[in-house]
Amino acid sequence: MAQTTRRSFLRGALALGLVPGLASVASADDQVLETASARLQTRPMTFLVARDGEIRLSGFEDSVTRFEAYAVSANEVRDPDAFSWVVERVQAVRDFIQGFSWDDALGDFAMGDDNDTETCTAYLEDLSDGEALRLSRELEAWFAEPPSPDERYSPDIVRPLDGVGMAYALFAHGELWQAVDRLGLVEIDGASPGNDYRGMQLEISVVEANAAAGALGLPIRFEEDAR
């Protein structure tokens, strides 16, 4: 089990771009996995444990733009064909387009109160070249900013925005359920109205968790969060 768990962990770490010097990859062969393992053995991932047990990946940069969070490129924003997929996939983009459609003369949204994919697409097709260019530029500027607090737990977010989200993305993975159990971790998924928090909580001591990680061959360690 330990070998299978270790490989699953390494694949997850690679997919999230958490291995120093290795780009994010969706799949990896044995050689890449061994390279990842060697690098993480030298620099193990550290998870800080809060007083309530919440864990977060230490050293993770929180300055993620919407481009990164939603996995959208500037070219996709500029290309109408590619952008149609972005409109369909990201609710926050549809909200932005609806806001862009506000008409002071009407005192209302030109595209109406609905901002589903079909309504947004129809509105975009009716824009003049000048309006389309202005929308594209405003969207590029919007994507270059970090997501707002209201967006943090959106299901459309692809890349975690902070250390807590990254820990959740790494461990809340079907193939790692045995490791999660052995490490004393519990998944907290508050995907319900008024509570969108998602995280992992440690329910055993740091010493016990580190011993379990060693037994599983995982290149990680847990430390008490001094904050």
Side-chain angles (χ1 to χ4, degrees):
M1 186 194 82
Q3 180 68 4
T4 301
T5 298
R6 173 177 161 276
R7 291 171 66 87
S8 295
F9 176 85
L10 292 172
R11 288 194 190 96
L14 282 164
L16 291 167
L18 295 178
V19 181
L22 292 179
S24 174
V25 292
S27 61
D29 58 24
D30 288 345
Q31 183 176 352
V32 173
L33 289 177
E34 289 308 313
T35 300
S37 178
R39 294 191 179 184
L40 289 175
Q41 291 293 344
T42 302
R43 296 174 56 188
M45 287 186 204
T46 299
F47 294 91
L48 301 179
V49 185
R51 291 182 180 180
D52 63 359
E54 177 188 72
I55 68 169
R56 65 183 174 90
L57 179 62
S58 176
F60 179 73
E61 296 294 336
D62 293 356
S63 57
V64 177
T65 69
R66 289 189 178 96
F67 278 122
E68 297 164 316
Y70 291 110
V72 172
S73 69
N75 287 336
E76 287 177 301
V77 176
R78 298 167 189 156
D79 183 337
D81 291 332
F83 186 60
S84 63
W85 166 236
V86 177
V87 172
E88 180 178 349
R89 185 168 64 83
V90 183
Q91 176 64 53
V93 170
R94 298 195 294 274
D95 293 340
F96 186 96
I97 294 170
Q98 184 178 38
F100 179 86
S101 79
W102 178 265
D103 189 313
D104 288 329
L106 291 174
D108 201 353
F109 298 111
M111 62 181 280
D113 294 330
D114 294 328
N115 66 356
D116 54 62
T117 301
E118 184 177 351
T119 303
C120 285
T121 300
Y123 172 75
L124 293 173
E125 289 175 348
D126 287 340
L127 289 178
S128 67
D129 290 344
E131 290 173 322
L133 179 59
R134 181 166 68 88
L135 172 60
S136 177
R137 288 174 175 170
E138 290 186 15
L139 273 167
E140 279 196 62
W142 178 80
F143 268 109
E145 299 171 349
S148 70
D150 290 340
E151 296 171 72
R152 292 192 72 82
Y153 299 110
S154 165
D156 301 328
I157 294 286
V158 174
R159 179 176 172 79
L161 306 181
D162 55 26
V164 172
M166 189 60 84
Y168 178 84
L170 184 61
F171 287 111
H173 188 283
E175 295 182 8
L176 286 176
W177 68 270
Q178 290 178 313
V180 167
D181 186 56
R182 290 275 299 276
L183 292 168
L185 293 172
V186 174
E187 177 182 346
I188 308 296
D189 187 349
S192 61
N195 181 17
D196 293 329
Y197 171 83
R198 293 182 179 89
M200 301 300 296
Q201 193 169 61
L202 185 67
E203 294 201 328
I204 61 177
S205 72
V206 165
V207 172
E208 291 172 311
N210 283 329
L216 289 167
L218 299 181
I220 63 175
R221 65 172 180 263
F222 295 91
E223 296 180 359
E224 299 285 352
D225 194 344
R227 292 193 309 182

